[in-house]
Amino acid sequence: MRTNFPHIRLRWHRVGSATAVTAALVLAGFGTAVHADATTSSKVTWAATPCAIPKKAGELACNSLRVTGGTTAFQKARGITPKAADAATPSGYGPSDLQSAYGLTAAAAANGSGETIAIVDAYNDPNAEADLAKYRSYYGLPACTSASGCFKKVSQTGSTTSLPTADAGWSEEISLDLDMVSAIAPNAKILLVEAKSATMANLGKAVNEAVTLGAKFVSNSYGGSESSSDTSYDSSYFNHPGVAITVSAGDEGYGAEYPAASKYVTSVGGTALSTSSNTRGWTESVWKTSSTEGTGSGCSSYDAKPSWQTDTGCTKRMISDVSAVADPATGVSVYDSYGVTAGWYTFGGTSASSPIIAAVYALAGTPGSSDYPAQYPYAHTSSLNDVTSGNNGSCSTSYFCTATSGYDGPTGWGTPKGVSAFTG
């Protein structure tokens, strides 16, 4: 089983010149990163959520970060003065912002009914349904409850009563995932599948259970180092024709992660998203905070290249396929209450972009039964916003880490421009 010691080393390196106390805080998930967003002179600070540091060897990391201070892009654009750390009011992008940015306003209102989007995470969030209700009510989205059959929470075995141990860090991740699905596809049903731990084996069983229970869209916001076991994990957990499986590309800058590297999934990179005076009304660039924090990307060491990938610099599977907002400084609004002060938080990380893209697939309709939906964007590249600026680190083959016209690693073919790129 894979370990995540490379992730821990990177997080130590990230604060290399800081004090040992600060380094320890980062390892505990409470250290901060600082980023001066292009839309504001007020620096935004954030911390890795606790689940971003695996508790045990062999566990994978969630890919989310929570804003702790400063003025976010959302606040700056609206002249909002409260600090982003104030949990009383939202300080990140909400559903109308995200739907506008990605050309989804009409589709979000009309599509998604009858579809089930699954979220796969580790451990239990006891407040998942209640927090989801707060988010949806605040933004005027239709209620989604277990009583109505819209929301369902199960373990990796499908049990609704025998659930995993509760965990505050993974509860933050769960809130982020549920809220992003709600923001993009408010008419869809939501299935939350909670693995008993964050190992690939248990998370993989949760993916299988999501598919068994009928989900045609499955979002995964976690990852870890690649290993020679990945191809066996591919066949055991991710080879599900007719199901759109999305996976976060990672939050530690240039470098490949698994399961984003699986040839059967849509790997989702991350961008910085800001309002603009252009025709679209928005602009995006590669999310990068530092050499060790930003969207993941890269050429897999183990996974074979899927037939629909045609870039020539990487002979194996290339990450990413598409992308969406992930920069915490241009982050998204989330309601969370378990293990934290109940209220509104702003999150970033590719944990935000993966459920967004899963929900876009749901708006586009049920995939063909024998299709691998990861190939859909490759057939509709003109229906994506091409991200052409920024990088996520240094690499020997430029497009592996640097945005360019057309395909590149950090953002894939780009971000949603309506739903056309996400259907066969």
Side-chain angles (χ1 to χ4, degrees), residues 263-345:
K263 63 182 180 180
Y264 297 121
V265 310
T266 300
S267 58
V268 186
T271 67
L273 172 71
S274 301
T275 55
S276 172
S277 59
N278 61 17
T279 302
R280 178 186 170 195
W282 300 85
T283 186
E284 288 176 277
S285 59
V286 175
W287 166 43
K288 176 189 176 185
T289 307
S290 69
S291 61
T292 54
E293 186 174 272
T295 183
S297 72
C299 182
S300 173
S301 297
Y302 301 98
D303 250 78
K305 199 172 199 67
S307 60
W308 53 86
Q309 267 200 335
T310 57
D311 62 295
T312 58
C314 171
T315 59
K316 293 190 181 294
R317 204 284 195 241
M318 187 70 195
I319 303 168
S320 297
D321 298 311
V322 292
S323 50
V325 62
D327 188 337
T330 70
V332 297
S333 179
V334 173
Y335 189 90
D336 186 52
S337 70
Y338 186 69
V340 295
T341 300
W344 295 97
Y345 295 91

Side-chain angles (χ1 to χ4, degrees), residues 66-72 75 80-92 333-334 341-346:
R66 192 182 77 193
V67 170
T68 55
T71 304
T72 64
Q75 292 175 301
I80 299 173
T81 55
K83 297 296 184 184
D86 178 6
T89 56
S91 55
S333 179
V334 173
T341 300
W344 295 97
Y345 295 91
T346 294

Side-chain angles (χ1 to χ4, degrees), residues 57-105:
E59 290 203 342
L60 306 187
C62 67
N63 285 309
S64 58
L65 306 106
R66 192 182 77 193
V67 170
T68 55
T71 304
T72 64
F74 168 84
Q75 292 175 301
K76 181 69 174 177
R78 287 159 181 78
I80 299 173
T81 55
K83 297 296 184 184
D86 178 6
T89 56
S91 55
Y93 293 134
S96 62
D97 302 299
L98 296 172
Q99 292 171 21
S100 168
Y102 296 126
L104 301 169
T105 304

Side-chain angles (χ1 to χ4, degrees), residues 219-244:
S219 176
N220 304 269
S221 293
Y222 54 83
S225 310
E226 291 192 287
S227 81
S228 57
S229 300
D230 291 348
T231 53
S232 65
Y233 296 147
D234 280 350
S235 56
S236 296
Y237 307 128
F238 296 106
N239 186 6
H240 293 288
V243 180

Side-chain angles (χ1 to χ4, degrees), residues 49 51 62-66 93 98 119 121 125 128 131-132 135 169-183 219 221 248 251 325-326 331-336 345-356:
T49 55
C51 57
C62 67
N63 285 309
S64 58
L65 306 106
R66 192 182 77 193
Y93 293 134
L98 296 172
I119 295 295
D121 280 311
D125 178 1
D131 289 350
L132 177 64
Y135 180 90
W170 279 95
S171 291
E172 293 183 33
E173 174 65 48
I174 288 169
S175 292
L176 168 60
D177 293 342
L178 296 177
D179 290 356
M180 289 308 95
V181 166
S182 299
S219 176
S221 293
S248 301
D251 293 350
V325 62
V332 297
S333 179
V334 173
Y335 189 90
D336 186 52
Y345 295 91
T346 294
F347 278 85
T350 52
S351 279
S353 53
S354 177
I356 286 172

